[in-house]
């Protein structure tokens, strides 16, 4: 009986797929929230296909975008002000809804990843 229950649950889990309509978030006006060490960090950004302009703490940053595929992108800061800003950031969209997407990101080459959520503003 337990074996039958196990295979039934396994079957339903195998059929479930997370929705990822990443193309819908390639361009637009968004805001994001990331929790780091218990603090919420919010930013607002406008994204074109190859450019993102972000406002965080009343500071504007611009990055060039290189899309790896529909759900992954690498950000390169256009005018870095310090060493940390010289590092490229890899972002991967994990799941989407009609008005938001969940993502993870890290500096390219690093294994520690942060997660966040972005919402459309249009």
């Amino acid at each position: 009986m337990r074996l039958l229950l196990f295979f039934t649950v396994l079957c339903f889990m195998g059929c479930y797929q997370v929705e990822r309509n990443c193309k819908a978030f390639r361009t637009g006006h968004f805001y994001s929230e990331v929790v780091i060490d218990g603090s919420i960090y919010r930013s607002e950004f406008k994204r074109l296909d190859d450019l993102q302009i972000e406002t965080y703490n009343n500071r504007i940053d611009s990055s060039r975008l290189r899309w790896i595929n529909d759900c992954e992108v690498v950000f390169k800061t256009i005018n870095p002000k310090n060493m940390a800003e010289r590092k490229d950031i890899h972002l991967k969209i994990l799941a989407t809804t009609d008005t938001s997407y969940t993502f993870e990101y890290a500096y390219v080459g690093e294994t520690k990843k942060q997660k966040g959520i972005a919402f459309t503003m249009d």
Side-chain angles (χ1 to χ4, degrees), residues 56-102:
Y56 172 74
N57 268 355
N58 295 319
R59 186 172 167 229
I60 298 173
D61 279 329
S62 299
S63 298
R64 291 274 173 222
L65 306 182
R66 181 175 51 87
W67 289 91
I68 298 169
N69 58 47
D70 288 339
C71 296
E72 295 182 68
V73 63
V74 174
F75 297 86
K76 183 173 195 66
T77 303
I78 293 175
N79 292 312
K81 308 281 188 281
N82 55 51
M83 289 303 289
E85 290 181 2
R86 291 176 191 257
K87 296 179 181 179
D88 293 350
I89 294 174
H90 176 248
L91 181 137
K92 181 177 182 180
I93 297 174
L94 303 174
T96 64
T97 68
D98 289 343
T99 59
S100 69
Y101 64 91
T102 304

Side-chain angles (χ1 to χ4, degrees), residues 5 10 15 19 33 36 52 56 63 65 105:
L5 180 61
L10 186 63
C15 296
E19 181 181 345
E33 294 181 350
I36 302 173
Q52 179 167 297
Y56 172 74
S63 298
L65 306 182
Y105 69 96

Side-chain angles (χ1 to χ4, degrees), residues 11-74:
C11 181
F12 282 113
M13 287 176 57
C15 296
Y16 177 74
Q17 287 189 350
V18 175
E19 181 181 345
R20 287 199 329 165
N21 180 16
C22 301
K23 284 185 180 182
F25 299 99
R26 212 169 155 128
T27 62
H29 189 191
F30 308 93
Y31 76 93
S32 67
E33 294 181 350
V34 176
V35 178
I36 302 173
D37 296 329
S39 297
I40 298 174
Y41 296 89
R42 292 181 177 93
S43 69
E44 182 177 329
F45 55 96
K46 291 183 181 180
R47 184 182 294 153
L48 304 173
D49 197 50
D50 63 348
L51 177 70
Q52 179 167 297
I53 302 165
E54 181 175 11
T55 303
Y56 172 74
N57 268 355
N58 295 319
R59 186 172 167 229
I60 298 173
D61 279 329
S62 299
S63 298
R64 291 274 173 222
L65 306 182
R66 181 175 51 87
W67 289 91
I68 298 169
N69 58 47
D70 288 339
C71 296
E72 295 182 68
V73 63
V74 174

